[in-house]
Amino acid sequence: MPITHTHELDSTPNLTVLFGKAVLTGFTRNGSTLPSTVYSRSPLAIDPGHLSAYTKVCGFRLTDQLPITYPHILGFPLQVKLMTDNDFPFPLVGSVHIANRITQLRPLYTTDALQLQVHVENLRDHPKGHQFDMITSVSVDDTLAWHSTSTYLRRTGSGGSSGASEVVVRQPRAIWRVPDDIGRRYADVSGDRNPIHLHPLTAKLFGFPRAIAHGMWTKARCLAAFEGRLPEAYTVDVKFKLPVLLPAKVGFATNRAEGTWTFDLFDARTGKPHLTGEIT
C-alpha cells in the first residue's frame, strides 16, 4: 500500500490564486504517477447565504437539508489544490470532467459540522489519453455520510466527445431554457471560474464557439427536478457527454423501472446528449 501524506488545512484554498497558478505553470506537466497526498478540512460550518445562492442558481428548494450536490462545491477547492500541486502529473487546464458519482449515506443538514477529505486515485488508460478519479468524502462525528468520485480525462490525442454520435429519442418531461449567463452565475457560487464557462470570447480561446455550462450545474439542475421523490440514502451516477453551449434549449427526460431512475439531458432540437444519469 502506498504511504499517504495527510494535510489538515486551516482554511479553504483560494481558488483565484490556484487557477492563476494553473494557467501560469501547469501546461508543461507530463508525469505518470499520482500523488499520495490527502487534503482534509474540518470542522466546516455551512454558510447560509452561500447555500441560498447555490440552491437558487441550481433550482433546489432552500431547506435545512443540503442538496446532494452541494458538498461537491465545498470539496472542489481541495481538489483544485491537489491538481495544482507541483507533484501532480497533469495540467489542470485542459483536464475534462467526464463522469461523477455521488453516494449519500444519510442526509446532511445545515447544522452539521462537516469533515472533508480529498485524494486522487486509479490512474488508467482511456482511448483518448489517461483518466483518474478525484475522491471527496464528507464525515460527521467521524462517521462517513457522503462520498463522490469525479472522473477526469487528460487527452493525449485527438477526438471529440464520446457522446457526439448518440441521439436521445426519449420524450422530454420538460424543456428548459438555459440562459447565457448561467456559467457566470454558477461560477460565483462554485468558485470554478474556468474561462470556458464565462464568456464567448474566453471560451473561443479554448476551442468552443460559445461559453459552456458547468457539468456539475447540469447534474444539480437535473437532481433539483427530482426533489421530494428520492430516498434519504441513494447513489446518483452521471456521465457528461456533449457540452451545453450557452444559451441553450435542452430537453429533460426520466424513466423509472425496478426501483431505478434513469434520466437524460439533451439538445431539444437535435436530441444529442449532454448528460446521462442513473439513480439507485
Side-chain angles (χ1 to χ4, degrees), residues 73-100:
I73 299 298
L74 303 179
F76 183 68
L78 279 68
Q79 289 191 18
V80 175
K81 179 169 177 54
L82 185 56
M83 294 172 71
T84 53
D85 281 349
N86 293 333
D87 59 351
F88 201 81
F90 308 116
L92 172 63
V93 177
S95 295
V96 182
H97 195 184
I98 60 172
N100 176 268

Side-chain angles (χ1 to χ4, degrees), residues 2 8 87 105 107 114 132 141 149 154 157-158 176 182-183 185 210 213 215 234 244 268:
E8 176 74 30
D87 59 351
L105 300 173
L114 308 182
F132 55 90
D141 296 329
T149 301
R154 180 61 195 175
S158 60
W176 299 331
I182 198 65
R185 290 167 55 200
R210 305 196 301 274
Y234 62 96
V244 178

Side-chain angles (χ1 to χ4, degrees), residues 90 124-131 153-158:
F90 308 116
R124 57 207 187 273
D125 290 334
H126 183 278
K128 295 182 176 66
H130 303 286
Q131 58 185 340
L153 167 66
R154 180 61 195 175
R155 286 180 175 152
T156 56
S158 60

Side-chain angles (χ1 to χ4, degrees), residues 151-172:
T151 301
Y152 288 88
L153 167 66
R154 180 61 195 175
R155 286 180 175 152
T156 56
S158 60
S161 166
S162 60
S165 62
E166 303 172 22
V167 174
V168 177
V169 295
R170 284 186 180 182
Q171 183 69 25

Side-chain angles (χ1 to χ4, degrees), residues 89-121:
F90 308 116
L92 172 63
V93 177
S95 295
V96 182
H97 195 184
I98 60 172
N100 176 268
R101 183 177 70 251
I102 296 174
T103 296
Q104 178 173 281
L105 300 173
R106 64 92 149 164
L108 293 170
Y109 296 93
T110 55
T111 53
D112 287 330
L114 308 182
Q115 303 159 293
L116 270 70
Q117 200 169 79
V118 169
H119 71 276
V120 63
E121 63 182 37

Side-chain angles (χ1 to χ4, degrees), residues 72-262:
H72 173 86
I73 299 298
L74 303 179
F76 183 68
L78 279 68
Q79 289 191 18
V80 175
K81 179 169 177 54
L82 185 56
M83 294 172 71
T84 53
D85 281 349
N86 293 333
D87 59 351
F88 201 81
F90 308 116
L92 172 63
V93 177
S95 295
V96 182
H97 195 184
I98 60 172
N100 176 268
R101 183 177 70 251
I102 296 174
T103 296
Q104 178 173 281
L105 300 173
R106 64 92 149 164
L108 293 170
Y109 296 93
T110 55
T111 53
D112 287 330
L114 308 182
Q115 303 159 293
L116 270 70
Q117 200 169 79
V118 169
H119 71 276
V120 63
E121 63 182 37
N122 198 17
L123 179 62
R124 57 207 187 273
D125 290 334
H126 183 278
K128 295 182 176 66
H130 303 286
Q131 58 185 340
F132 55 90
D133 296 330
M134 297 294 300
I135 310 298
T136 303
S137 62
V138 176
S139 298
V140 179
D141 296 329
D142 296 318
T143 299
L144 183 66
W146 182 102
H147 60 90
S148 77
T149 301
S150 292
T151 301
Y152 288 88
L153 167 66
R154 180 61 195 175
R155 286 180 175 152
T156 56
S158 60
S161 166
S162 60
S165 62
E166 303 172 22
V167 174
V168 177
V169 295
R170 284 186 180 182
Q171 183 69 25
R173 174 176 172 268
I175 299 291
W176 299 331
R177 294 186 182 274
V178 186
D180 61 0
D181 67 344
I182 198 65
R184 296 188 292 276
R185 290 167 55 200
Y186 186 77
D188 286 343
V189 297
S190 70
D192 185 352
R193 298 186 179 278
N194 188 320
I196 62 176
H197 302 302
L198 303 181
H199 296 280
L201 289 177
T202 55
K204 286 178 181 178
L205 295 175
F206 294 88
F208 295 96
R210 305 196 301 274
I212 67 173
H214 295 74
M216 287 303 294
W217 177 83
T218 63
K219 179 172 183 173
R221 182 64 186 88
C222 290
L223 288 170
F226 283 98
E227 278 195 309
R229 292 186 287 167
L230 299 177
E232 291 191 337
Y234 62 96
T235 294
V236 53
D237 199 351
V238 304
K239 292 178 173 58
F240 302 114
K241 302 289 188 174
L242 295 173
V244 178
L245 297 173
L246 302 172
K249 186 177 179 181
V250 298
F252 174 66
T254 65
N255 185 61
R256 190 177 189 185
E258 298 180 357
T260 297
W261 284 101
T262 58

